[in-house]
Amino acid sequence: QVQLVESGGGLAQAGGSLRLSCAASGLTFSTYRMGWFRQAPGKEREFVAAISWSGGSTSYTDSVKGRFTISRDNAKNTVYLQMNSLKPEDTAVYYCAAAPRLRPLDFGSWGQGTQVTVSS
């Protein structure tokens, strides 16, 4: 079965950085589009960033463009989210998700999430 395990969350000060990792197993990682989503308290889960199966295409929500970078290492079955210039509004639980290459919008597999807290 597919397993996605996030790590790297924690507490950071505004303006600081964190790097999230998501280790995948139980799937052919290199054939999946990977995404990061987040959910802040009292809010709906929202899209943050995604990367194509090859790593050649990325997309971001407007609020993180220029600050966050998504990347992947298919040899390690891992996707990353480098978060720089963090803001208090980035505080949320961050989730990793996987979508099959032929259904790139179908994020059907999810991790348990990792908490990111940014203090002002």
Side-chain angles (χ1 to χ4, degrees), residues 71-90:
S71 61
R72 66 189 296 159
D73 185 338
N74 285 348
K76 295 183 178 180
N77 286 6
T78 301
V79 62
Y80 306 96
L81 186 68
Q82 178 66 44
M83 306 186 296
N84 298 329
S85 301
L86 284 163
K87 303 176 180 180
E89 51 263 44
D90 294 319

Side-chain angles (χ1 to χ4, degrees), residues 31-110:
T31 66
Y32 278 74
R33 182 173 183 240
M34 299 300 296
W36 286 97
F37 294 75
R38 66 186 180 187
Q39 187 167 19
K43 295 187 177 181
E44 293 188 353
R45 189 176 298 185
E46 66 170 351
F47 169 79
V48 176
I51 187 167
S52 63
W53 60 275
S54 67
S57 175
T58 59
S59 59
Y60 300 89
T61 191
D62 285 347
S63 63
V64 308
K65 284 181 181 176
R67 300 189 298 120
F68 291 10
T69 302
I70 188 171
S71 61
R72 66 189 296 159
D73 185 338
N74 285 348
K76 295 183 178 180
N77 286 6
T78 301
V79 62
Y80 306 96
L81 186 68
Q82 178 66 44
M83 306 186 296
N84 298 329
S85 301
L86 284 163
K87 303 176 180 180
E89 51 263 44
D90 294 319
T91 295
V93 177
Y94 283 71
Y95 298 90
C96 171
R101 185 174 64 178
L102 296 182
R103 300 193 307 277
L105 300 182
D106 183 10
F107 286 101
S109 299
W110 294 83

